[in-house]
Amino acid sequence: MGTAPAAKPRHQFQTDDPRLRPIADKVLAGARLDEGDALALYRSGDVLAIGWLANYVREKLHGDRTYFNVNRHINPTNVCVAACRLCAFGRKKDADGAYTMALEEAWQAAASGYTESVTEFHIVGGLHSDLPLQYFTDLVRGLKQRFPQVHIKAFTMVEIAFFAKLYKTTPRDILMQLKEAGVDSMPGGGAEIFADRVRHVICDHKIDGGEWLEIARTAHELGLKSNATMLYGHVENDEDRVDHLLKLRALQDETRGFQTFIPLAFHPDNTALRHLPWTTGLTDIKSIAVGRLVLDNFPHIKAYWQMMTPKIAQIALRFGADDLDGTVIEEKIYHDAGATTPQGMRRQDLIRLIREAGREPIERDTLYRPVTRTETTVSIGV
Ligand code: SF4
């Protein structure tokens, strides 16, 4: 995690919730929180006290530094054999709106919006049963040939498991082939909530939580860093959220391969769970703060502005988050589920959000190395 800046609590910890006092003692002593502590945090309404603690940890790790990147999302296909109830993106092959990009089209999509010197392609898609593995390895190779300096963060653990099954090999073999083609790291999607009870309701066609963690372990062993997400605000309860966080923390103790934890608010529109309400601002903020406090071995906590809205994400920078994600340029998955945020944001807009929160904007690459720009060049500090 680098050199820790000195903590600078600006005022004393205060709470009217007695359950938070012993937790505050642990946080200030740098001690690990346990399951009971995590549950108490989720159940407390004193979001300012929880935020104070999360901010204390955030500033101990990162001071005012707040990261963002200039990235572009590419979703090569929305055709998917699964039919997760949480999803508004996937389509059956013959359904209206189903698409699969020709390789040339995907490379062109990568090039559009490239004027801002993108440092990352974020690539995820549906589980398409008719595409050969070569489609994906050629996609990645072609991107590397055309944009050799751009980091490729591609394919969730769910996609890797699907490829392994479809092409009758192991997840390790698939990961090795994709790495060889040019994949540099992996996103954190598909984790949802690990508890079986919840997965049966929201995504019963997906790999289970144990498989997700096992593929993440394998990726980390192969030198591929990844992120980890948690989709909240549907049918899970506090125990499920805590179980999810503790499983991520346990794997991180082993591998140190996770870079960033990203809590994702469930968007119900156009999904089979559209009767559920949207998450509230308080739950969004608390998800960031509890993540920061429980995941003491995760370097970064991201307030993904596309999911939280730029307004809530900006506030989250004072509640434990140190990363806002990036410019994105063309987000499809959450917009199919009713997101009303813009599909992309300019670099200077991200900087303004961060500065207004009293934080120091740092443009990073995918591996959190600082990016320096001049009028004509982009360089990455190593
Ligand atoms: S969430 Fe992913 S796996 Fe599930 S239906 Fe949507 S695209 Fe397919």
Side-chain angles (χ1 to χ4, degrees), residues 171-227:
R172 179 176 291 269
D173 177 49
I174 296 288
L175 286 166
M176 284 165 55
Q177 290 193 56
L178 290 169
K179 187 176 179 210
E180 202 270 325
V183 169
D184 297 301
S185 72
M186 299 173 70
E192 322 305 2
I193 285 278
F194 291 140
D196 283 343
R197 181 187 63 77
V198 175
R199 284 184 107 72
H200 285 319
V201 177
I202 65 170
C203 58
D204 56 349
H205 298 95
K206 258 185 195 162
I207 52 173
D208 66 27
E211 287 172 278
W212 191 98
L213 290 160
E214 196 49 45
I215 294 173
R217 177 185 281 112
T218 307
H220 298 170
E221 282 168 8
L222 292 170
L224 291 165
K225 294 273 187 193
S226 80
N227 293 333

Side-chain angles (χ1 to χ4, degrees), residues 42 188 191-194 212 226-232 241 244-246 248-249 252 258-264 284 286-304 308 320-323 368:
Y42 274 126
E192 322 305 2
I193 285 278
F194 291 140
W212 191 98
S226 80
N227 293 333
T229 57
M230 178 178 82
L231 187 78
Y232 64 91
R241 293 177 186 172
H244 190 91
L245 293 179
L246 295 185
L248 288 176
R249 188 171 78 179
Q252 179 75 332
F258 290 119
Q259 298 202 104
T260 308
F261 173 65
I262 311 157
L264 298 174
D284 293 340
K286 218 204 277 185
S287 300
I288 291 282
V290 179
R292 180 61 286 167
L293 289 166
V294 175
L295 296 176
D296 53 13
N297 52 8
F298 271 60
H300 302 284
I301 305 292
K302 184 185 289 184
Y304 182 33
M308 306 194 118
D322 62 278
D323 191 327
Y368 286 84

Side-chain angles (χ1 to χ4, degrees), residues 78-84 86-90 125-127 158 192 203 206:
N78 66 352
V79 172
C80 190
V81 293
C84 303
L86 62 83
C87 182
F89 172 72
L127 310 178
V158 174
E192 322 305 2
C203 58
K206 258 185 195 162

Side-chain angles (χ1 to χ4, degrees), residues 24-252:
D25 291 342
K26 282 189 184 176
V27 171
L28 293 171
R32 177 162 272 195
L33 302 186
D34 62 22
E35 185 182 351
D37 299 327
L39 273 174
L41 288 168
Y42 274 126
R43 287 174 181 166
S44 173
D46 193 351
V47 73
L48 289 180
I50 297 167
W52 188 97
L53 293 171
N55 190 52
Y56 171 82
V57 175
R58 182 255 199 255
E59 291 189 354
K60 198 162 104 176
L61 290 170
H62 303 293
D64 280 328
R65 291 195 297 271
T66 299
Y67 301 93
F68 70 97
N69 70 349
V70 178
N71 62 349
R72 195 197 203 296
H73 283 204
I74 303 170
N75 306 118
T77 179
N78 66 352
V79 172
C80 190
V81 293
C84 303
R85 289 189 191 91
L86 62 83
C87 182
F89 172 72
R91 303 271 194 288
K92 295 297 165 214
K93 208 170 23 179
D94 304 323
D96 279 354
Y99 73 85
T100 299
M101 292 178 178
L103 288 176
E104 202 57 51
E105 205 184 332
W107 297 325
Q108 271 170 21
S112 64
Y114 194 68
T115 48
E116 285 203 272
S117 297
V118 169
T119 60
E120 171 191 284
F121 293 134
H122 169 105
I123 306 172
V124 296
L127 310 178
H128 194 317
S129 57
D130 296 342
L131 293 172
L133 183 60
Q134 197 185 346
Y135 170 87
F136 297 100
T137 49
D138 284 354
L139 169 69
V140 171
R141 274 205 186 88
L143 287 172
K144 272 289 174 208
Q145 275 161 10
R146 287 163 178 78
F147 312 97
Q149 72 281 28
V150 178
H151 181 107
I152 297 183
K153 182 179 79 180
F155 309 116
T156 64
M157 312 309 161
V158 174
E159 289 170 277
I160 300 298
F162 177 75
F163 294 156
K165 206 166 159 201
L166 186 66
Y167 310 126
K168 300 189 173 39
T169 183
T170 60
R172 179 176 291 269
D173 177 49
I174 296 288
L175 286 166
M176 284 165 55
Q177 290 193 56
L178 290 169
K179 187 176 179 210
E180 202 270 325
V183 169
D184 297 301
S185 72
M186 299 173 70
E192 322 305 2
I193 285 278
F194 291 140
D196 283 343
R197 181 187 63 77
V198 175
R199 284 184 107 72
H200 285 319
V201 177
I202 65 170
C203 58
D204 56 349
H205 298 95
K206 258 185 195 162
I207 52 173
D208 66 27
E211 287 172 278
W212 191 98
L213 290 160
E214 196 49 45
I215 294 173
R217 177 185 281 112
T218 307
H220 298 170
E221 282 168 8
L222 292 170
L224 291 165
K225 294 273 187 193
S226 80
N227 293 333
T229 57
M230 178 178 82
L231 187 78
Y232 64 91
H234 39 85
V235 299
E236 88 287 5
N237 59 27
D238 292 335
E239 283 84 356
D240 298 323
R241 293 177 186 172
V242 170
D243 171 71
H244 190 91
L245 293 179
L246 295 185
K247 284 188 169 127
L248 288 176
R249 188 171 78 179
L251 181 57
Q252 179 75 332

